[in-house]
Amino acid sequence: MSERLDDVKNRVISCTNCNLSKSRTNAVPGNGNYHSDVIFVGEAPGRNEDLQGKPFVGTAGQILSEALEYAGFTRDQVYITNVVKCRPPNNRQPITEERTACRPYLSEELEIIKPKIICILGNTAYSSLLDGSEITKNRGKIVKSDGRLYFVTVHPAAIIYNPSLRQVLKDDFVFLAKSLDKLRKGLDVEISQ
Ligand code: URA
Ligand code: SF4
């Protein structure tokens, strides 16, 4: 257990730093293994997450779990969080003010867990963490920014609308798992510019 992460969780649960606190049922702090060497970052909680207070427990969560297992990860091995911790009404994308207000929590999660790689799930996490507007260029690749390594892939919910991405996500996670293995052994991984 990490007391520092528990402290972040408790502050998220009672946070009123942006307007999303008014419409949420539950805030959704990050969840999973405090010792994970990879953190998965999604966009924002959806309906099921808002009701249960846990990230990725709805349809997108099932797709995420399936792809993780395909690559040999289990949900309880890894740490999963979102750019914003409260559900935007009607699942709209979180606006800049909300992302900015919520950013310190994600920064603390990254600082405390110190993962070897941060896995970006989709455009919102991509633009929030890497300042990029479109993930296509770097999807499936490892990018270095401010001394951290990021792996970029699609959002699991994108698969609901575009089933051909299901295998893309799975193959990306296989590549991520292999890259993590290399990093654990102190070997180099290929970094995209
Ligand atoms: N989509 C996300 O981005 N995060 C969740 O927690 C659930 C769905
Ligand atoms: Fe606080 Fe983040 Fe929820 Fe806004 S989205 S109320 S900043 S926890």
Side-chain angles (χ1 to χ4, degrees):
M1 292 283 274
S2 159
E3 278 174 27
R4 286 174 69 202
L5 265 179
D6 283 345
D7 177 57
V8 176
K9 267 187 197 179
N10 289 334
R11 280 183 280 125
V12 165
I13 287 168
S14 58
C15 178
T16 54
N17 291 350
C18 83
N19 276 333
L20 295 180
S21 62
K22 296 182 186 148
S23 50
R24 75 179 177 220
T25 314
N26 292 295
V28 180
N31 185 266
N33 188 338
Y34 297 167
H35 301 293
S36 179
D37 47 17
V38 54
I39 293 188
F40 293 84
V41 185
E43 177 177 296
R47 185 169 173 275
N48 290 287
E49 291 76 21
D50 174 70
L51 292 174
Q52 294 183 41
K54 291 205 180 106
F56 282 100
V57 290
T59 311
Q62 281 167 20
I63 295 168
L64 175 65
S65 298
E66 189 196 344
L68 286 173
E69 279 161 29
Y70 181 87
F73 296 107
T74 62
R75 282 279 296 242
D76 46 347
Q77 257 177 359
V78 300
Y79 188 88
I80 299 173
T81 192
N82 283 301
V83 169
V84 301
K85 316 301 194 206
C86 300
R87 183 193 184 200
N90 302 314
N91 297 345
R92 65 160 169 75
Q93 281 194 350
I95 60 173
T96 305
E97 283 102 308
E98 294 157 358
R99 296 181 198 201
T100 307
C102 215
R103 179 60 212 230
Y105 298 124
L106 179 57
S107 298
E108 284 190 75
E109 290 172 295
L110 299 177
E111 183 48 43
I112 295 167
I113 297 178
K114 294 192 172 48
K116 290 192 174 18
I117 299 192
I118 298 156
C119 180
I120 289 182
L121 301 170
N123 276 318
T124 297
Y126 187 65
S127 61
S128 294
L129 285 164
L130 287 177
D131 265 349
S133 55
E134 233 284 301
I135 69 165
T136 316
K137 183 172 147 263
N138 284 316
R139 204 227 85 242
K141 296 188 177 145
I142 297 172
V143 178
K144 195 170 192 177
S145 172
D146 292 333
R148 286 186 165 131
L149 293 183
Y150 297 84
F151 178 70
V152 182
T153 190
V154 295
H155 193 289
I159 290 157
I160 301 168
Y161 308 102
N162 184 353
S164 67
L165 291 176
R166 189 180 294 269
Q167 196 59 38
V168 170
L169 183 67
K170 287 180 172 174
D171 291 342
D172 278 358
F173 280 179
V174 169
F175 178 81
L176 172 63
K178 284 187 185 150
S179 303
L180 263 174
D181 258 356
K182 286 188 187 165
L183 291 170
R184 286 180 194 127
K185 290 175 183 150
L187 301 172
D188 285 341
V189 291
E190 195 183 321
I191 294 168
S192 157
Q193 288 317 312

